[in-house]
Amino acid sequence: MFGLRHLRAVAMTAATLGGLSGALFGLLNEQGRRARLAIGVLEHLWPAPDGVYRDNGSDPLRLAVLGDSMAVGVGVTHPSQMPGVLLAGALAEEAERPVRLSTYAVSGSTTRDLVPQVDAAVLDQPQVALIIIGANDVTSRMGVGESARLLGEQVRKLREVGCGVVVGTCPDLGIVRPIPQPLRMVGRRYSLRLAAAQTTAVRSEGGVPVSLGNLLAPEFMARHVDMFSTDRFHPSAAGYEAAAGVLLAPLCQVAGLWAGWVAPQAPLRSAAALAARPSRLPGWLQRRHA
């Protein structure tokens, strides 16, 4: 979700924006140092497997994937498990036509880094675009207002070339267990604020926001070992499969494949943050996946 070098920045963000005392700032910095030691190193960093999926010789649907490491698929053990590949194959099946996957996402990107990605993508005139961005904005101390404004501008650029846009908003950083409390609470607070601001900005520009925090956090918390990769930060293959599962329907919507379907309105605050007892998770998950 975000690089190890940024853990200290979470504490600095809290100090800057929250007016923390010197003692608490020192505690958060120390917790960031300990979290860095607890986090593993990924062995596999795969290049994007761009190309045409389910090619039958007909004109392909053009899919662009932009954003940060979650858009890239950092953490999987094989390229076939990357979210762009999963979604390209699923879209091709739903559309009954080939899908050309073009990946512009770069691991470690903030919303500022999204600007050149979008500039490159619009030259290829994609028909559908998926953006996943936000976690690095939190950890690099980028202001919520600036981040949301820049995201809205990039969505507008894509919409102006006739591209349908789906945005996976900032995930709930409070689910990353190697980050201890209260540092994890600080990360959750700012990631939720950013996700809410992103949702408003994306909708105002005609895009479709998808709340990854609301839809994925409870399952990631309940199945932490399965859903996170070996570095304990990025999703595993199972985690990306779950993410693709909640992103497919909105992508089909903006691609015009599911006439009349509208993405449901999810609450802005993460269900994981609201859940009072672990026993509430199974019922919530059953209703969400029904």
Side-chain angles (χ1 to χ4, degrees):
M1 292 183 183
F2 52 92
L4 309 187
R5 68 185 183 280
H6 295 311
L7 282 170
R8 183 173 178 272
V10 176
M12 295 179 67
T13 300
T16 302
L17 301 180
L20 298 179
S21 68
L24 183 53
F25 178 56
L27 170 63
L28 296 179
N29 265 326
E30 174 61 18
Q31 288 188 333
R33 185 189 69 80
R34 292 180 180 178
R36 287 195 296 274
L37 295 176
I39 292 164
V41 177
L42 291 172
E43 298 178 359
H44 304 284
L45 297 174
W46 303 101
D50 291 351
V52 179
Y53 287 79
R54 294 181 178 262
D55 190 5
N56 60 9
S58 60
D59 184 38
L61 178 72
R62 298 183 298 279
L63 167 65
V65 176
L66 311 97
D68 57 21
S69 58
M70 276 197 70
V72 173
V74 172
V76 301
T77 57
H78 191 273
S80 63
Q81 301 164 338
M82 298 171 81
V85 174
L86 296 175
L87 289 166
L91 273 175
E93 184 175 347
E94 292 295 330
E96 297 183 339
R97 62 183 286 197
V99 170
R100 180 182 296 278
L101 172 64
S102 298
T103 304
Y104 303 91
V106 178
S107 180
S109 293
T110 68
T111 305
R112 292 190 187 100
D113 303 310
L114 189 62
V115 178
Q117 294 182 27
V118 172
D119 288 344
V122 296
L123 296 177
D124 293 331
Q125 296 187 319
Q127 294 161 289
V128 183
L130 169 65
I131 301 172
I132 303 178
I133 200 77
N136 295 306
D137 294 34
V138 175
T139 58
S140 63
R141 296 181 292 159
M142 187 173 178
V144 168
E146 179 187 4
S147 177
R149 177 184 58 79
L150 280 172
L151 177 59
E153 290 174 357
Q154 303 320 302
V155 172
R156 186 189 315 136
K157 287 181 187 177
L158 290 163
R159 296 292 295 133
E160 286 174 348
V161 297
C163 180
V165 183
V166 173
V167 177
T169 59
C170 184
D172 185 346
L173 300 187
I175 66 175
V176 183
R177 290 186 183 178
I179 305 177
Q181 299 288 16
L183 181 58
R184 196 190 318 165
M185 177 184 67
V186 172
R188 165 171 288 163
R189 174 186 174 187
Y190 289 103
S191 59
L192 294 177
R193 285 183 56 201
L194 177 56
Q198 288 177 318
T199 296
T200 300
V202 170
R203 283 184 182 148
S204 68
E205 298 297 342
V208 177
V210 177
S211 177
L212 296 180
N214 281 290
L215 296 172
L216 298 179
E219 189 168 1
F220 269 68
M221 291 181 71
R223 299 175 54 205
H224 195 272
V225 174
D226 297 330
M227 304 301 276
F228 280 92
S229 66
T230 55
D231 73 348
R232 303 174 70 192
F233 263 124
H234 296 90
S236 63
Y240 282 116
E241 185 176 351
V246 302
L247 291 165
L248 176 59
L251 285 169
C252 288
Q253 175 196 354
V254 302
L257 304 180
W258 292 0
W261 187 88
V262 178
Q265 299 289 322
L268 296 179
R269 185 167 173 77
S270 168
L274 295 174
R277 295 172 299 175
S279 60
R280 293 177 56 185
L281 293 175
W284 187 94
L285 287 172
Q286 290 175 8
R287 291 193 298 273
R288 175 65 68 185
H289 289 293

